[in-house]
Amino acid sequence: MIFVLPRSGDMGVNMNLKFTVTGEELSDILLNIAPVRPVFIWGAPGIGKSALIQKFADDVGMECVSLLGSQLAPEDIIGIPQIKGEVSQFIPPKMIARKEPYVLFLDELNACSQEVQKAFYSLIYERRIGEYYLPEGSVVVGAGNRSQDSAIVKTMSSALINRMFHVQLITDPNQWLNWAYINELHPWVIDYITQRPDHLFSEPPKTEEPYSTPRSWHALSDGLKSYNAGVKNVPEKILRVLAFGSVSSAHAGSFLAFVKQLAHKDLLGEIIRGEAKFPAAPEQRDVLYFVAQSFRAKLLMELPKDKQSLGTNMQGFVHRAKAMIKELSHLNLELAQMVVSSDDGKILPDWFMVEIVRDLPRLVKNEK
């Protein structure tokens, strides 16, 4: 895999690399690249950069020492001068000056002032501060957010950018779910993201409000576990406070609908198998909306781009999916339209849409 640095005129906090990596791919890159070249990880807040660095340190059997760039002054890196005879010598900070090799994690590196960034030059490039060198085998890793993440960021100098190898981290729902199982997150959160993997992450909003990230779903899980949700009855108001205080409002509403229909946990699967119908009662509208969203997410995830790739089982699913869309259109035309064409920027395969136009002209006509 090739990672492309931007042209010098594009360098700064708005770096977007041509290729992205998942958590597992990043771990492999760190094992191979970090011992010989400092690595800088770009990514949105809350997607697990710090946790992956800690895991990397654990995997290689070294201590992880984290420095938060936004809270550092130059002297926190280069130390303070001390007179020795007729000369002065900088004494490096205790956090950095260690005898055993370790992983030095420079978090929020692009939130530093220019003076602090300059103090990092020799540490990043030569693994030294003044006359002190990091122990042989030590690793330096940096991380930061992008300007589009609405985070506190400053322009990084081209000299600092050029001293590091850059990767852009993205979330991978399957990998996160594996982690969530191992770390015993609340089953409601695990089951919800299993059904709605597209809700694991949402782009940071321009306004000051919660949004969805792996970290915020973890926070919601902690809140649910603190109330023993699922073991005793938790008031609906508390559930709303927990959900809307952790993740985006759209995802929080959908999550509450999911919780409400836990008595019919596999409702979508039952509808696909023909064992159940879409909920039609007015008081179940939020459940119907959740099932319709889940249905769209399943179509986006499972339908191949090329119709020739359809296997026998998938052909059966396609026929059933078209029948379900027709059933939903009779029940709620707006939700049926949402299933085939939403404003989320994600598009169902062309061949499937052609069949929808052919078999369900009423739906498509009304959609236009």
Side-chain angles (χ1 to χ4, degrees), residues 273-285:
R273 294 190 297 270
E275 300 169 359
K277 297 287 187 181
F278 284 107
E283 63 271 17
Q284 291 184 301
R285 179 173 172 80

Side-chain angles (χ1 to χ4, degrees), residues 289-358:
Y289 183 77
F290 173 77
V291 172
Q293 282 190 316
S294 300
F295 182 32
R296 172 173 169 78
K298 186 176 182 66
L299 292 175
L300 286 167
M301 187 166 51
E302 297 191 8
L303 291 180
K305 292 183 179 180
D306 185 357
K307 187 176 181 180
Q308 277 64 45
S309 302
L310 288 175
T312 303
N313 291 338
M314 185 55 65
Q315 288 177 2
F317 172 68
V318 169
H319 289 303
R320 179 57 187 148
K322 289 188 291 185
M324 287 173 60
I325 293 172
K326 185 176 182 179
E327 294 168 9
L328 184 60
S329 68
H330 290 302
L331 184 63
N332 189 307
L333 182 61
E334 181 183 357
L335 289 183
Q337 292 171 345
M338 180 201 71
V339 169
V340 299
S341 179
S342 186
D343 58 0
D344 57 8
K346 300 174 182 177
I347 303 173
L348 294 173
D350 290 340
W351 62 266
F352 184 76
M353 291 303 298
V354 168
E355 296 190 8
I356 291 294
V357 172
R358 184 193 65 200

Side-chain angles (χ1 to χ4, degrees), residues 188 210 220 223-224 227 229 234-260 286:
W188 289 359
L220 176 56
L224 292 169
Y227 275 93
V234 179
E236 183 177 351
K237 182 178 180 180
I238 294 298
L239 290 177
R240 294 181 65 84
V241 169
L242 292 176
F244 281 89
S246 302
V247 299
S248 74
S249 58
H251 295 174
S254 182
F255 176 79
L256 292 174
F258 164 78
V259 172
K260 186 175 180 180
D286 52 351

Side-chain angles (χ1 to χ4, degrees), residues 106-209:
L106 309 176
D107 199 6
E108 297 186 5
L109 180 55
N110 59 338
C112 301
S113 65
Q114 291 294 323
E115 291 74 20
V116 174
Q117 289 186 26
K118 291 176 183 177
F120 276 124
Y121 283 8
S122 61
L123 181 59
I124 290 173
Y125 189 61
E126 301 175 325
R127 290 184 172 85
R128 71 172 179 86
I129 300 175
E131 297 181 9
Y132 169 79
Y133 284 83
L134 298 185
E136 187 70 25
S138 295
V139 170
V140 179
V141 181
N145 304 314
R146 308 158 301 171
S147 59
Q148 61 264 43
D149 298 322
S150 301
I152 300 175
V153 291
K154 295 182 174 65
T155 300
M156 289 178 66
S157 70
S158 58
L160 187 56
I161 286 180
N162 200 236
R163 281 169 161 78
M164 293 177 287
F165 180 86
H166 297 262
V167 295
Q168 183 164 306
L169 180 66
I170 59 171
T171 56
D172 182 281
N174 289 330
Q175 293 179 17
W176 186 83
L177 284 169
N178 289 336
W179 173 87
Y181 279 113
I182 293 172
N183 289 272
E184 299 181 346
L185 266 63
H186 195 280
W188 289 359
V189 170
I190 293 176
D191 291 346
Y192 179 78
I193 297 301
T194 299
Q195 293 195 34
R196 295 306 309 267
D198 54 322
H199 282 191
L200 178 60
F201 176 78
S202 63
E203 291 295 334
K206 300 301 181 183
T207 55
E208 296 177 340
E209 59 184 280

